Amino acid sequence: MNLPDYETVSTRMADEHVLLVTLNRPQVGNAVNTQMGRDLLDLWNRLTEDAGPVRCVVLTGAGERIFCGGGDLKERNGMSRETWQRQHELFERMYWTLVDLPLPVVAAVNGHAYAGGLEMALSCDFIYASREARFALTEVTLGIMPGAGGTQNLPRAVGERRAKEILMTGRPFDAAQALEWGLANALHDPGEVLPAALATAGAIAANAPLSVRQIKKSVRYGGQMELRTAFRFEIEAYNHLVDTDDRREGVLAFNEKRKPVFKGR
């Protein structure tokens, strides 16, 4: 897939259908500055408009210690109110484009994820993390609050009461707690997080891509509805798959006792 050479983000195809995206500012903890906001917004928009061969995305950070330290506070030091708000509006668009991306996104949290970095991981579909990673939403200690989905995505992951404690204290918590509370799906030794995430992404990408997209849509939007309406929404998503070539291929492959070859149509 032909993507631009971004200044703050690197991309490469990890296999035929899996795109690896790496936050690439290791010298500053992969902190999100204005240029990274622009780069990621452009990337998520391109994948939304035309994903090409990509069926699953893995998002990680450069280096072994930090996934993403949040917003770049050195860049923000001395910013006027107007400049700060313009930057944050860019970040808002970038985060929501990630949340709405039709493709599944696996966060490979290779190190600490603080503030906007944790919000970015929470915006992905699920999280694999290093056993040495630490997490926090520290905005309250800086006189602000999470503004990229933290107060919404965190309670949906760990429950309202636990989320309030995390949000209001700003205290870090470790990977074992992240797993226990339901924020992380699995923990791995340092150096094994990315291979594990890529292996799972490969398993997802081997399945029918239209089915995977409909599942993501059904879970995300159905979870915001009352149960009966959500069930109807699920059935509408299901019915879109009945008359696809992939559905016919899946049934045929099962009966012929072979692996299906899905084309995404």
Side-chain angles (χ1 to χ4, degrees), residues 4 20 24 49 51 61 107-108 150-151 220 223 228 254:
L20 175 61
N24 195 22
E49 293 166 5
T151 66
R220 172 147 191 91
R228 186 172 293 275
F254 176 84

Side-chain angles (χ1 to χ4, degrees), residues 8 22-33 36 60-71 110 117 120:
T8 66
T22 304
L23 308 177
N24 195 22
R25 301 186 72 221
Q27 70 281 6
V28 290
N30 299 316
V32 184
N33 65 353
M36 184 180 283
T60 194
E64 298 180 358
R65 294 184 56 253
I66 299 179
F67 169 74
C68 178
N110 53 302
M120 193 176 304

Side-chain angles (χ1 to χ4, degrees), residues 224-237:
Q224 301 171 27
M225 305 173 187
E226 54 85 23
L227 184 57
R228 186 172 293 275
T229 303
F231 179 72
R232 296 299 180 191
F233 185 85
E234 177 188 82
I235 295 303
E236 286 299 314

Side-chain angles (χ1 to χ4, degrees), residues 156-198:
R156 287 165 167 79
V158 306
E160 181 180 328
R161 298 177 73 83
R162 179 72 66 188
K164 286 178 181 176
E165 179 185 13
I166 293 168
L167 290 158
M168 293 178 183
T169 64
R171 290 196 300 240
F173 53 96
D174 61 28
Q177 291 170 306
L179 180 66
E180 177 187 353
W181 297 341
L183 186 145
N185 290 61
L187 304 184
H188 298 276
D189 292 333
E192 297 301 319
V193 180
L194 183 56
L198 289 171

Side-chain angles (χ1 to χ4, degrees), residues 249-259:
E249 165 65 8
V251 174
L252 182 62
F254 176 84
N255 283 283
E256 293 180 350
K257 296 181 173 57
R258 60 174 175 83
K259 186 177 180 180

Side-chain angles (χ1 to χ4, degrees), residues 191-247:
E192 297 301 319
V193 180
L194 183 56
L198 289 171
T200 296
I204 293 170
N207 292 323
L210 297 178
S211 299
V212 171
R213 289 184 177 214
Q214 290 295 84
I215 287 169
K216 176 169 179 172
K217 184 186 298 183
S218 184
V219 171
R220 172 147 191 91
Y221 295 106
Q224 301 171 27
M225 305 173 187
E226 54 85 23
L227 184 57
R228 186 172 293 275
T229 303
F231 179 72
R232 296 299 180 191
F233 185 85
E234 177 188 82
I235 295 303
E236 286 299 314
Y238 173 93
N239 286 337
H240 280 293
L241 300 171
V242 174
D243 194 31
T244 63
D245 291 344
D246 279 355
R247 192 273 303 167

